[in-house]
Amino acid sequence: MTTRLIVWRHGNTDWNAGNRVQGQTDVPLNDLGRQQAVDAAELLVRMRPDALVSSDLRRAADTAAALAALTGLSVTHDERLRERSFGLWQGLTMAEVAETRPEEHARWAAGADVIGGEVETLEDLGKRVADALQAAADGVGPDGTVIVATHGAAARSGVGHLLGWPREQLRTLRALQNCHWVELTHDTARGWQIATYNVGPFSDRPVPPPV
């Protein structure tokens, strides 16, 4: 018996488009993001999910709502699925971060756990998101499918923590594109495994940074 977990990044926002650090700022989807959510939902509905769970931030919650409209399922919101808190970076473009906080930016680019600037550590991020992903999977049980709408950095760290990967291995994964997803499966013999990564309807689009 196999549990299926789909970890789905939200659609595009104006801050994604402007390369601006969102973190836990509650930025809404833009027109492109809303259309991405609809297009992705038309694919994900074929997976016949048993449950939908989402970050409580609007860009993820509204992405999940597009799928809820097709499935008839209600969405459960879990604040543990929020994006990484980027502290004093939030609202800045990445170019502004590099210019005004160069040491912190260098640590971030190198994949360091502790960055400074009140940015949440990767360890804390991975643990809280993985806890939420595990709870979502537990909620549907063996042979169930749950789709979880979350954020770029949150998805990558949460999946990595769930799999028990070291940070060095996690850095080999590209950032999820907007409205793309990771499919994981779990059974008692093999535990968690990745089935697919970065799947979605807009594979030809550039990858916005997972912030």
Side-chain angles (χ1 to χ4, degrees):
M1 301 179 74
T2 301
T3 302
R4 183 164 57 171
L5 169 65
I6 310 299
V7 184
W8 184 22
R9 187 186 180 192
H10 62 78
N12 194 260
T13 72
D14 287 344
W15 283 27
N16 285 146
N19 201 21
R20 192 172 297 278
V21 181
Q22 294 180 118
Q24 295 188 1
T25 309
D26 201 8
V27 182
L29 297 176
N30 57 22
D31 288 344
L32 172 60
R34 286 187 286 274
Q35 186 60 54
Q36 288 175 333
V38 169
D39 292 343
E42 290 175 352
L43 299 176
L44 288 168
V45 71
R46 302 173 193 174
M47 295 185 177
R48 299 183 178 179
D50 299 295
L52 304 178
V53 183
S54 173
S55 159
D56 61 344
L57 297 179
R58 283 183 294 171
R59 58 192 185 271
D62 289 349
T63 296
L67 182 55
L70 297 182
T71 62
L73 296 169
S74 60
V75 180
T76 300
H77 298 102
D78 188 336
E79 67 179 22
R80 292 176 298 179
L81 294 166
R82 287 182 179 185
E83 181 57 293
R84 184 180 190 179
S85 174
F86 277 88
L88 300 178
W89 294 23
Q90 291 178 182
L92 301 176
T93 65
M94 289 307 292
E96 289 169 339
V97 173
E99 179 180 355
T100 63
R101 313 184 77 88
E103 292 182 0
E104 294 169 10
H105 183 269
R107 287 192 287 270
W108 171 79
D113 181 25
V114 179
I115 291 174
E118 301 177 14
V119 177
E120 185 176 12
T121 68
L122 287 173
E123 178 65 23
D124 288 348
L125 171 67
K127 185 179 186 308
R128 71 167 167 85
V129 177
D131 285 349
L133 295 177
Q134 185 66 61
D138 291 343
V140 295
D143 276 352
T145 295
V146 59
I147 297 179
V148 176
T150 184
H151 309 263
R156 186 160 59 176
S157 287
V159 165
H161 202 91
L162 199 64
L163 293 166
W165 285 5
R167 288 199 307 278
E168 294 75 17
Q169 185 174 359
L170 192 58
R171 281 173 55 77
T172 66
L173 292 178
R174 290 184 61 192
L176 286 178
Q177 293 176 257
N178 285 118
C179 262
H180 281 52
W181 57 84
V182 186
E183 179 181 350
L184 300 106
T185 59
H186 184 275
D187 62 49
T188 54
R190 291 167 293 188
W192 284 109
Q193 295 184 306
I194 287 186
T196 62
Y197 185 83
N198 221 357
V199 177
F202 294 103
S203 60
D204 59 340
R205 296 189 183 278
V207 182
V211 295

